Amino acid sequence: MLRLLVADDHGIVRAGIRMLVERQPDMEVVAEAEDGADAVRRALAERPDVAILDVAMPRMTGTQAAREIRSHLPDTRVLLLSMHDDERYMADAFAAGAGGYVLKSQADADLVAAVRAVARGEPFVSPTARDWAAEPVRDPLTARELQVLKLIAEAQKTVESHRANLLAKLGMRDRVELVRYAIKRGLVEP
């Protein structure tokens, strides 16, 4: 019988995973946690065969919890659940000692197979994430151009955040209203 820990900050997700897993005659959920720190504590207490951890949890991310669990319980396998179909998240997951990475959008189809694979010591990645990760990267940009692109993207994220704050504070709906406001205030010329 595979003993599982399920950690996710959303109770409905934990309940869904529990229902899916407990339909299997060879699996049982022995512990649940709602954040990464609690996942580590529960793993140390219960010593599950597999810990299913959400990547994005409060107090400690799933990746951080995976690293902690694996450092104290090397026989406990870790499977990370994520809504991020992103190479960086996958790389971080495996670097932290996870044996599998399942997209939440594919969990209903992939989770049981992923738990079994990870329990056997075999890596598992959701097929859609695997397809994306397998695409060859042919980047025409130089290292300096990549650095500039990163700065632009980070600045854009900051601008979006400030724009959202301004819209809320001024009770406006869109960028056009912000531009009209700036013109009226004499901040820019029409």
Side-chain angles (χ1 to χ4, degrees):
M1 180 74 70
L2 286 175
R3 302 173 71 251
L4 309 177
L5 160 71
V6 176
D8 192 292
D9 55 324
H10 296 98
I12 190 86
V13 174
R14 289 193 313 272
I17 293 170
R18 176 183 282 277
M19 227 169 45
L20 183 66
V21 162
E22 291 193 337
R23 287 186 192 149
Q24 308 306 310
D26 59 337
M27 296 180 191
E28 69 174 326
V29 175
V30 296
E32 291 186 25
E34 61 184 29
D35 62 54
D38 192 35
V40 172
R41 186 181 64 73
R42 297 295 311 235
L44 292 172
E46 297 295 332
R47 307 179 78 78
D49 298 307
V50 178
I52 302 170
L53 310 174
D54 179 19
V55 166
M57 290 188 289
R59 291 186 35 197
M60 180 185 284
T61 68
T63 306
Q64 292 167 328
R67 188 171 281 114
E68 279 293 308
I69 290 169
R70 294 286 293 154
S71 72
H72 295 290
L73 302 169
D75 291 335
T76 295
R77 308 287 188 191
V78 174
L79 176 62
L80 285 176
L81 278 178
S82 179
M83 60 187 220
H84 304 287
D85 188 359
D86 185 312
E87 185 178 52
R88 289 173 301 161
Y89 285 93
M90 278 188 276
D92 288 348
F94 287 105
Y101 190 89
V102 173
L103 297 175
K104 283 188 172 182
S105 61
Q106 301 297 310
D108 59 334
D110 294 346
L111 189 65
V112 171
V115 168
R116 287 197 172 102
V118 168
R120 288 189 305 265
E122 299 169 7
F124 186 96
V125 176
S126 285
T128 53
R130 191 180 318 129
D131 294 344
W132 180 86
E135 291 176 11
V137 178
R138 289 184 279 281
D139 203 333
L141 302 179
T142 65
R144 179 63 181 150
E145 289 168 332
L146 286 171
Q147 189 178 33
V148 170
L149 176 60
K150 180 179 184 286
L151 292 172
I152 291 169
E154 288 171 348
Q156 180 65 25
K157 192 173 175 183
T158 301
V159 167
E160 292 298 326
S161 175
H162 286 298
R163 180 167 52 192
N165 289 340
L166 289 170
L167 288 169
K169 193 171 201 173
L170 296 172
M172 296 179 179
R173 293 179 309 232
D174 57 30
R175 183 180 170 275
V176 173
E177 287 184 338
L178 282 177
V179 171
R180 286 185 188 137
Y181 181 82
I183 292 169
K184 284 181 188 174
R185 293 287 314 267
L187 299 172
V188 294
E189 293 190 25

